[in-house]
Amino acid sequence: MAIEDDVTVVGGGIAGMTVALAAAREGADVRVLSHKDSTLRSASGLVDVLGYPPESANADRGESDSTRDGPLADPFDAIPDLPESHPYRTVGVEGVREALDLFDGVVGDRYRGGHTDRNALVPTHGGSVKPTARYPASAAAGLASDDRNALLVGFESVTDFDAPLAADHLESAGVPFAARGATISFPGDFRVDAKITRFADALDGDERVAVEGDGYTTELPVREALAETVKPHLRGEERVGFPALLGQHNTAEICEALEAELGAAVFEVPMGPPSLPGMRLEGALVSACRDAGVRFTTGNPVVDYETDGGAGSGTASDEIAAVRVERNGAAIPFHADQFVLATGGLVGKGIDSDREGVAEPIFDCHVPHSGDRYDWFADEAFGDHPFARFGVETDDDLRALDRGGDAEFSNLRAAGAVLGGYDFAAEKSGAGVSLATGVAAGRSAAREVTR
């Protein structure tokens, strides 16, 4: 029996789930096909719109790279000056705003930043300061614009967060507060190689843990035990930052409990993978999608497609009839009226490259690039590398374009990091582009089948 939907989304990251949610809310029957876990599990959980202008935009205006020294205060002011190839120019400022409205509705009071157009400056685990448009409520007390002194607390077994080093870097960056770092043992008898999810689970359940005293051992709830371990390191600081492991489900409750014990504001410092804020965001998006009726088929890759003429036989005028998912050696077709490609960029394997060139591996969409591989890179290690902007080109309705500038398929759109024309890492724009193009592509695809 053939599986058929109105809209099929290929990719289950932030872009794919945003596409699905936007399309479902327009009344479409939507399915998400996802091979692996979402990349949100490796993301910081911060939602950037635009932190820095791209170097190409500065060059177009005749400005030097020195204009990139400071972060953008208002990302919306900068969008109209971006290069024409940038995805934000396709969706426009209002498209970005609509996407953030959808995001704010999904996450509710779990995120902050919706009250202003201005970027917030959030300290990271490396001691840098990141401009971002939306940030978890658990990070709110840690903003770099706050002048209250801060103690950063690291744990001996969480080696990705060196609290004293991060504090030194923050002070070197010129933040308006004094920062110190302390490294402690997480209370209780946890394995030396315990994952941060184990600590988070213990805090969620407020498990009782053994605490050593002067010649005695007692048991305390882990939240109280953690606060008691931190107290000797406080020197009047008004806020305390922990690596982002304060629970997977009860983070607000844990922060409140620690604040009550410590007499100071508590905040989380965003971390690298595995990222609990990213997992929390993934959970919120999945829940919203399921509430909207989105179906998920996960664990197997999309490997091919069909048109009316057969498998992989598309021409510029063809429509896609189905995509094929590899399952136990068989290729299972999933039919739909509209398709959206949201498989990620070079990191997520949505764009592939070898010595022969650069390609989009499922639909063989055109990816503009130089035939000379030496043109893919800049001379400087941290230069303006062309490969960072590799991706699929689209029209104004986010339909993927072929080499001649026509739609590859009339019912295929693209969203998120698979798009070309921007460097999300340098600009700090990854989540924003995924949200904005996801909403636009999802709504457009749904309107094709519901009108």
Side-chain angles (χ1 to χ4, degrees), residues 311-326:
S313 62
T315 67
S317 61
D318 280 331
E319 285 194 352
I320 298 168
V323 291
R324 291 182 168 187
V325 171
E326 185 181 87

Side-chain angles (χ1 to χ4, degrees), residues 73-351:
D74 187 334
F76 296 97
D77 278 351
I79 289 174
D81 293 328
L82 294 173
E84 289 287 343
S85 61
H86 200 290
Y88 280 153
R89 295 296 300 274
T90 302
V91 300
V93 170
E94 285 309 308
V96 180
R97 292 190 186 279
E98 289 174 6
L100 288 174
D101 285 344
L102 180 143
F103 176 84
D104 291 340
V106 168
V107 299
D109 62 3
R110 287 169 287 190
Y111 269 73
R112 300 285 186 270
H115 65 290
T116 178
D117 282 352
R118 297 178 68 83
N119 277 324
L121 299 176
V122 179
T124 69
H125 68 288
S128 62
V129 176
K130 187 177 184 183
T132 191
R134 299 290 188 273
Y135 48 94
S138 60
L143 296 187
S145 55
D146 192 329
D147 63 2
R148 291 178 295 176
N149 293 344
L151 172 68
L152 301 184
V153 175
F155 300 112
E156 292 173 354
S157 55
V158 181
T159 56
D160 288 346
F161 184 46
D162 185 329
L165 182 62
D168 288 345
H169 285 176
L170 283 173
E171 289 206 327
S172 297
V175 294
F177 57 88
R180 285 193 309 110
T183 302
I184 63 175
S185 295
F186 194 93
D189 187 21
F190 293 92
R191 289 175 46 164
V192 174
D193 61 348
K195 297 181 179 179
I196 64 169
T197 50
R198 177 66 188 96
F199 298 131
D201 289 342
L203 288 164
D204 269 333
D206 204 13
E207 298 176 9
R208 297 188 70 83
V209 296
V211 177
E212 299 288 339
D214 290 333
Y216 68 92
T217 300
T218 187
E219 282 195 350
L220 291 174
V222 69
R223 299 173 191 176
E224 181 182 349
L226 177 56
E228 291 298 323
T229 307
V230 171
K231 282 179 182 178
H233 297 276
L234 279 170
R235 298 178 188 169
E237 286 88 358
E238 298 169 274
R239 49 184 179 155
V240 179
F242 294 90
L245 52 71
L246 300 183
Q248 296 196 59
H249 309 291
N250 302 319
T251 304
E253 179 184 309
I254 294 164
C255 288
E256 290 174 3
L258 291 174
E259 287 176 345
E261 292 284 345
L262 293 171
V266 166
F267 63 94
E268 287 189 309
V269 179
M271 298 283 290
S275 167
L276 283 166
M279 294 178 194
R280 296 171 200 147
L281 177 54
E282 178 186 27
L285 287 168
V286 169
S287 179
C289 285
R290 293 196 186 282
D291 287 346
V294 175
R295 292 175 293 278
F296 287 83
T297 301
T298 62
N300 297 284
V302 174
V303 294
D304 203 354
Y305 67 94
E306 299 177 7
T307 67
D308 292 337
S313 62
T315 67
S317 61
D318 280 331
E319 285 194 352
I320 298 168
V323 291
R324 291 182 168 187
V325 171
E326 185 181 87
R327 183 184 298 165
N328 298 326
I332 310 300
F334 285 78
H335 296 261
D337 290 319
Q338 299 290 318
F339 296 84
V340 182
L341 178 66
T343 46
L346 287 165
V347 175
K349 303 299 183 183
I351 300 296

